[in-house]
């Protein structure tokens, strides 16, 4: 009785002629390459995410904080100017209000010194230079107001403070600050979006790599079952039947050009020797008769 051969994917048996060790090496090399590619891409994406996170932590977040401090101080300067003009009804009050205004100017200078090293783009530098030019001219008007107050010319100081030119200088400075805030907010948002994009890319790469690894592992398992395990089982069955003396046993897989084919050829030799041995026994018995 001819033993049954595996019928799963019979085309494999017809077309694959590489040695098994080469095929297995290719399969596991593919797994290794997929893992290496996934790891390299993940490391690259993580490095990019780290760069973006560093930029956010060391540049844009501090920049927004310092610009906010400049805005607050600039607003306080204007408030303290009006307090100096309107609430300095006695010399003591004037001294107190002048000290408060000077303190606010000092806070603004400190905030500006902290912000200036963080400027990193041409647009940011341009907006800050516009603010600096407008604020420098506004500070000159502020000094003139304080000199008039020291001289007891409160009415003249009030007129100078509300002159359209002085108000325009303050408004220009505040507008430049608003543009700075908008620039830094957009830059921070763009970096955050890039970080999220990198995270999505890394996640997709990880999922893809896992999927490819699973497919490769499944292919290797199916290949081992269909192309190695079952043929070996069939060869074992054929050799068992030959050992029992069933010379009519069909030896499968002799067409293969790999280790299984070499095993089949060797078993075929045993079969041929068995048949030849029986023929010789029959001829010897006939001679004895």
């Amino acid at each position: 009785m001819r033993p049954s051969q595996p019928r799963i994917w019979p085309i494999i048996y017809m077309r694959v002629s590489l040695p098994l060790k080469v095929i297995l090496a290719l399969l596991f090399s593919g797994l290794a390459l997929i893992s290496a590619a996934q790891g390299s891409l993940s490391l690259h994406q993580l490095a990019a995410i780290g760069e973006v996170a560093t930029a956010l932590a060391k540049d844009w977040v501090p920049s927004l904080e310092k610009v906010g401090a400049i805005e607050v101080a600039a607003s306080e300067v204007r408030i303290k100017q009006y307090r100096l003009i309107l609430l300095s009804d006695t010399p003591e009050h004037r001294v107190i209000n002048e000290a408060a205004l000077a303190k606010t100017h000092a806070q603004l200078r400190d905030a500006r010194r902290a912000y200036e090293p963080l400027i990193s783009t041409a647009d940011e530098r341009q907006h800050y230079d516009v603010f600096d030019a407008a604020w420098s001219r506004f500070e000159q008007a502020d000094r003139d107001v304080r000199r008039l107050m020291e001289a007891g010319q409160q009415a003249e100081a009030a007129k100078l403070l509300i002159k359209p030119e002085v108000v325009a200088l303050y408004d220009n400075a505040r507008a430049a600050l608003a543009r700075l805030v908008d620039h830094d907010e957009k830059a921070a948002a763009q970096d955050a979006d890039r970080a999220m994009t990198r995270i999505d890319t890394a996640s997709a790469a990880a999922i893809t790599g896992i999927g490819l690894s699973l497919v490769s592992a499944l292919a290797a398992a199916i290949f081992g079952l269909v192309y190695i395990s079952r043929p070996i089982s069939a060869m074992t069955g054929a050799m068992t039947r030959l050992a029992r003396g069933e010379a009519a046993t069909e030896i499968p897989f002799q067409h293969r050009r790999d280790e299984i084919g070499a095993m089949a050829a060797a078993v075929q030799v045993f079969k041929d020797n068995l048949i030849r041995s029986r023929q010789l026994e029959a001829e010897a018995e006939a001679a004895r008769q």
Side-chain angles (χ1 to χ4, degrees):
M1 179 179 179
R2 180 175 179 176
S4 62
Q5 297 185 11
R7 297 183 179 276
I8 299 178
W9 296 359
I11 192 171
I12 296 180
Y13 301 119
M14 298 297 296
R15 295 184 178 180
V16 176
S17 60
L18 293 175
L20 293 179
K21 60 183 179 181
V22 174
I23 296 174
L24 291 174
L26 290 174
L27 288 172
F28 287 107
S29 297
L31 280 172
L33 287 175
I34 290 171
S35 300
Q38 176 190 349
S40 299
L41 182 58
S42 297
L43 289 175
H44 176 72
Q45 296 298 334
L46 287 174
I49 292 170
E51 291 178 0
V52 174
T54 300
L56 284 171
K58 293 186 176 181
D59 190 358
W60 299 121
V61 173
S63 293
L64 285 169
E65 179 185 355
K66 302 308 178 185
V67 168
I70 294 173
E71 277 194 309
V72 171
S75 298
E76 286 291 322
V77 165
R78 196 61 170 166
I79 293 172
K80 298 296 174 59
Q81 286 177 333
Y82 283 116
R83 288 178 63 89
L84 177 63
I85 297 296
L86 301 175
L87 301 179
S88 298
D89 51 349
T90 65
E92 291 79 9
H93 288 165
R94 182 178 60 80
V95 172
I96 293 173
N97 291 328
E98 284 180 349
L101 178 58
K103 182 179 179 181
T104 304
H105 275 294
Q107 291 173 345
L108 177 59
R109 286 192 296 270
D110 292 341
R112 291 182 63 181
R113 281 194 295 266
Y115 173 75
E116 288 169 357
L118 300 174
I119 297 175
S120 59
T121 68
D123 289 340
E124 192 177 12
R125 170 58 64 183
Q126 180 181 1
H127 296 323
Y128 184 79
D129 288 344
V130 171
F131 163 75
D132 181 61
W135 192 258
S136 296
R137 295 173 61 190
F138 179 75
E139 282 184 324
Q140 180 59 50
D142 175 80
R143 287 190 288 269
D144 293 340
V145 168
R146 284 186 282 176
R147 279 197 296 270
L148 291 172
M149 288 297 297
E150 290 178 0
Q153 301 176 9
Q154 186 171 0
E156 288 76 4
K159 290 179 181 179
L160 177 59
L161 189 62
I162 61 175
K163 282 183 65 175
E165 295 85 353
V166 175
V167 173
L169 289 174
Y170 180 79
D171 290 342
N172 291 338
R174 292 283 298 178
L177 282 177
R179 289 191 292 272
L180 268 178
V181 172
D182 182 66
H183 172 275
D184 290 356
E185 286 178 346
K186 288 181 178 178
Q190 289 174 355
D191 278 355
D193 290 341
R194 281 196 294 270
M196 293 304 300
T197 300
R198 296 286 188 178
I199 291 172
D200 292 340
T201 302
S203 299
I207 293 172
T208 302
I210 291 172
L212 290 175
S213 298
L214 290 175
V215 170
S216 298
L218 181 61
I222 294 175
F223 176 83
L225 174 65
V226 174
Y227 204 72
I228 300 176
S229 178
R230 289 189 176 182
I232 289 177
S233 297
M235 292 299 301
T236 302
M239 287 187 289
T240 300
R241 288 188 290 274
L242 285 176
R244 292 200 299 262
E246 299 177 11
T249 300
E250 182 71 21
I251 308 302
F253 308 111
Q254 296 186 60
H255 62 280
R256 288 176 50 162
R257 304 301 182 189
D258 54 15
E259 293 83 349
I260 298 295
M263 184 187 299
V267 175
Q268 182 65 42
V269 171
F270 287 120
K271 176 183 175 180
D272 294 341
N273 289 337
L274 175 61
I275 294 173
R276 180 59 180 167
S277 176
R278 288 189 175 182
Q279 289 176 348
L280 292 174
E281 290 177 358
E283 290 173 359
E285 181 64 23
R288 284 195 297 270
Q289 291 295 331

